[in-house]
Amino acid sequence: MVRESFDIHFIIEKFPAILSALPVTLEITAVTLVLGWLLGLLVAWGKVSGSGWLKKFLGILTDIIRGIPTVVLLYIVYFGLPKLINVSNWSKISFVVLALMIELGTTSSEMFRSAYNSIQKGQLEAAHALGYTEIQKFFHIIVPQGLAVILPNLGSAVLSIIQATALVYTLGIFDILGKARQLDTNVSHVKTFEMYFSVAIIYWALAVLIQFIFSRLEKQMRKESVQ
């Protein structure tokens, strides 16, 4: 095998092209987080307030989804859903978001349930006695206290979804990794390491940014709790 040197000039030349696919990764991440956490709140509500059979069903469903690798779930949704309903007008990104939303929603439900259980029941009873509606209790008591408990886990969830988007290239979507693989194919796969190295830099930068944002949020919430 001929030893090839590391081509930094190739990375500098192609890096802007790879970076141009970043909006696709961020779009999938943002939509998945919004829909996935909304689903997670609904599932958590069912686990806390639902009937016995509903709690058992949601618990089993969560265990099942947890046991399926993300890429397998992605394929199940992409190839299985068209057998059940008409999805001819769906984009590939829609399948990706649905698969990641299901995974995030079921797994984050445990996080939301734990946050709710951490709230002292006396506070909820006091709010009820003061005439708070369910919506007022949710936004004035449950959200502020629960958010303080799960904020580090929310940061980890964001990172997990960003990393999971690296699998969407398997469906032919040109995210960061998909774009890098396309560029590598154009040069007959002689710059594969450089391409993956470039992708790693972008994902690392995103991870640093997310960690910084959530670290500042945690510090801000600690300051507000002390005041």
Side-chain angles (χ1 to χ4, degrees):
M1 180 181 291
V2 179
R3 182 177 180 273
E4 298 178 357
S5 59
F6 179 69
D7 193 346
I8 185 65
H9 299 290
F10 185 80
I11 292 178
I12 295 174
E13 177 186 353
K14 300 299 182 181
F15 196 82
I18 300 175
L19 199 59
S20 68
L22 179 60
V24 176
T25 296
L26 296 181
E27 176 188 354
I28 294 173
T29 300
V31 177
T32 298
L33 289 174
V34 172
L35 297 180
W37 281 338
L38 286 175
L39 177 61
L41 286 171
L42 288 175
V43 176
W45 175 82
K47 290 180 177 180
V48 171
S49 305
S51 59
W53 69 266
L54 180 60
K55 292 179 180 178
K56 183 173 295 186
F57 169 76
L58 292 176
I60 294 174
L61 180 63
T62 299
D63 292 337
I64 292 174
I65 298 299
R66 276 179 170 176
I68 301 176
T70 303
V71 67
V72 176
L73 183 61
L74 182 60
Y75 286 153
I76 289 175
V77 171
Y78 184 70
F79 292 108
L81 195 60
K83 297 181 182 297
L84 301 176
I85 60 175
N86 180 15
V87 291
S88 58
N89 60 338
W90 282 36
S91 66
K92 290 182 178 180
I93 290 181
S94 299
F95 289 99
V96 169
V97 170
L98 178 60
L100 296 182
M101 180 191 76
I102 293 172
E103 181 178 60
L104 178 63
T106 52
T107 55
S108 65
S109 66
E110 284 298 299
M111 174 177 64
F112 293 132
R113 185 173 67 86
S114 298
Y116 178 81
N117 290 334
S118 69
I119 299 172
Q120 295 181 1
K121 297 301 182 286
Q123 296 187 37
L124 297 176
E125 293 172 356
H128 179 73
L130 292 172
Y132 278 39
T133 64
E134 292 299 321
I135 294 179
Q136 288 176 321
K137 285 192 289 184
F138 180 77
F139 284 105
H140 291 286
I141 298 177
I142 297 176
V143 170
Q145 296 188 33
L147 190 59
V149 174
I150 65 173
L151 195 57
N153 292 329
L154 291 179
S156 298
V158 174
L159 289 176
S160 295
I161 292 300
I162 290 177
Q163 293 169 359
T165 62
L167 298 170
V168 305
Y169 81 91
T170 60
L171 298 183
I173 297 174
F174 289 105
D175 68 322
I176 298 172
L177 185 55
K179 187 66 175 179
R181 289 173 63 88
Q182 181 192 45
L183 295 172
D184 185 37
T185 301
N186 292 341
V187 294
S188 302
H189 302 287
V190 297
K191 300 295 181 182
T192 302
F193 175 75
E194 284 82 354
M195 289 295 91
Y196 282 115
F197 185 80
S198 301
V199 170
I201 291 175
I202 296 174
Y203 279 117
W204 172 79
L206 289 174
V208 171
L209 177 62
I210 295 301
Q211 289 173 343
F212 173 77
I213 292 174
F214 277 86
S215 176
R216 294 299 298 269
L217 288 174
E218 287 183 54
K219 291 180 180 178
Q220 183 63 33
M221 292 196 71
R222 283 198 294 266
K223 287 182 181 179
E224 292 178 357
S225 64
V226 171
Q227 295 175 353

